[in-house]
Amino acid sequence: MEAYILEKNGGLENLKLITLTTPTVKAGEVLIQTKSIGINPIDIQVRSSKDILGMITGGIFPEHIILGWDVAGIVEQVGEGVVAFKPGDEVYGLVNMPGLGSTYATQVVAQADQLTFKPENLSFTSAGATPMSAMTAYQAVVTLADIQKGEKVLIHAASGGVGHFAVQFAKDRGAYVIGTASGKNEEFVRSLGVDEFLDYTESPFETKVSDVDVVIDTINSVEHVLRSISVIKKGGRLVYLQPHFAEALSAKLEESAVNGLGVFVNSSGKVLTEISNLIKAGKVTPKITLVFEFDQLPDAQAAVESGRATGKIAVVAK
């Protein structure tokens, strides 16, 4: 198989495409012929930082470090004890998070319970870019915030990978949704169904909104999350995507009588199946805005790293 290995932490030049032996399938595992791969901000963070790589892997570094966690493809082989899938099935999933998913490859091994069937109304390209962002958003909106009908919800970076899914999940639950993004992305964000759009480049969001029930803050900034707390009503909920912010936020959360919850997504075929049901029902649609070929995968990482992309970026395998 072909795979991108990380030679050392640092820039894009450290991603090297090489040929490796196809991995062996063990009990409970599935071998997937890769059709599409999703690129996420964590991919860049792990590539860039040995500390984050160590945190994700628990300090265990294999001979070949292969990044990537999102994958969609066709089952080639199943291990002993796997009854849910058979060769030829079309599947997708978030592989081995936390840990190394090793999906930057033309063949991927995954635990069967981390996969689910690809919805028929979802292309392989879209499916490969869906799991991590959609599952993070689902955990934020449904599992942790438990957003209810009629609640007022502010979602930051509503044009982003996690944000655009969060908007759709919140609207499906009947919330009144306010989405922030830059003005150039207003049309995209409004197409998701937001009730209000805020251009964060025009004025600070806290001067435009107050007394919200829930904030979903996807921004990697303690200062930004602290500002979010200021617009939440007493007894409201804050969900943020950087769990390690907890200590820095605790005093402000207590002072404001706001419940703060950090998200760290974990692989789960069961959760992805719930999302698949919403996709099949037409209630949630992944928005894929850029597609790269497998030999352009470093360019796909660069596009995510720029922070200017909307929706999701996918890489299609050979």
Side-chain angles (χ1 to χ4, degrees):
M1 71 176 191
E2 290 185 287
Y4 282 90
I5 64 166
L6 180 67
E7 291 192 318
K8 62 180 180 180
N9 291 103
L12 289 165
E13 70 278 2
N14 294 313
L15 291 174
K16 299 296 183 182
L17 182 58
I18 67 170
T19 300
L20 294 172
T21 303
T22 300
T24 302
V25 177
K26 299 175 184 176
E29 294 180 338
V30 170
L31 178 66
I32 302 166
Q33 176 195 346
T34 305
K35 303 294 286 185
S36 177
I37 303 159
I39 309 295
N40 296 285
I42 189 67
D43 301 23
I44 285 82
Q45 294 168 22
V46 172
R47 185 204 78 215
S48 303
S49 168
K50 188 170 184 178
D51 288 341
I52 297 179
L53 173 61
M55 180 185 71
I56 288 290
T57 64
I60 299 171
F61 305 108
E63 179 184 359
H64 296 298
I65 296 172
I66 304 173
L67 302 184
W69 288 268
D70 282 344
V71 69
I74 299 170
V75 174
E76 287 190 334
Q77 184 182 349
V78 299
E80 181 182 351
V82 176
V83 296
F85 305 108
K86 64 183 185 304
D89 285 343
E90 299 181 347
V91 297
Y92 72 136
L94 172 67
V95 180
N96 202 35
M97 175 57 81
L100 284 174
S102 301
T103 65
Y104 284 9
T106 53
Q107 290 173 299
V108 171
V109 168
Q111 290 288 331
D113 61 3
Q114 297 179 358
L115 304 172
T116 194
F117 293 103
K118 179 183 74 65
E120 291 183 1
N121 62 335
L122 198 62
S123 69
F124 274 118
T125 301
S126 294
T130 292
M132 182 177 285
S133 292
M135 291 169 68
T136 301
Y138 187 91
Q139 186 175 355
V141 170
V142 179
T143 307
L144 295 180
D146 190 21
I147 289 169
Q148 300 296 309
K149 183 177 180 179
E151 288 193 309
K152 188 177 179 181
V153 179
L154 174 64
I155 297 175
H156 289 298
S159 62
V162 173
H164 92 284
F165 279 115
V167 169
Q168 295 178 77
F169 291 139
K171 287 302 299 178
D172 179 63
R173 291 174 74 84
Y176 181 93
V177 177
I178 305 164
T180 72
S182 64
K184 66 183 178 63
N185 293 323
E186 179 173 358
E187 183 178 352
F188 177 84
V189 173
R190 288 195 181 279
S191 75
L192 302 171
V194 296
D195 297 284
E196 288 184 46
F197 172 82
L198 292 182
D199 182 351
Y200 72 86
T201 67
E202 285 189 346
S203 57
F205 66 86
E206 60 268 38
T207 66
K208 299 291 185 181
V209 63
S210 61
D211 291 326
V212 301
D213 296 287
V214 179
V215 172
I216 309 294
D217 197 327
T218 69
I219 307 300
N220 185 13
S221 162
V222 169
E223 186 272 337
H224 192 277
V225 181
L226 288 169
R227 289 165 57 202
S228 286
I229 296 172
S230 71
V231 304
I232 304 172
K233 64 173 60 172
K234 288 187 181 299
R237 288 99 73 204
L238 164 74
V239 181
Y240 51 97
L241 268 56
Q242 309 293 335
H244 57 283
F245 287 177
E247 186 176 351
L249 302 175
S250 61
K252 180 69 172 178
L253 287 167
E254 184 176 357
E255 175 191 334
S256 304
V258 167
N259 187 22
L261 302 160
V263 175
F264 189 91
V265 69
N266 287 270
S267 296
S268 170
K270 182 178 179 181
V271 171
L272 191 55
T273 298
E274 295 292 328
I275 294 167
S276 294
N277 291 336
L278 294 172
I279 291 171
K280 286 188 283 190
K283 295 179 178 180
V284 173
T285 303
K287 304 291 186 181
I288 312 301
T289 56
L290 286 172
V291 179
F292 294 83
E293 300 295 327
F294 189 72
D295 59 6
Q296 299 174 309
L297 190 147
D299 296 328
Q301 267 212 8
V304 173
E305 194 168 12
S306 74
R308 295 189 294 271
T310 57
K312 288 294 300 180
I313 292 174
V315 172
V316 293
K318 298 177 181 178

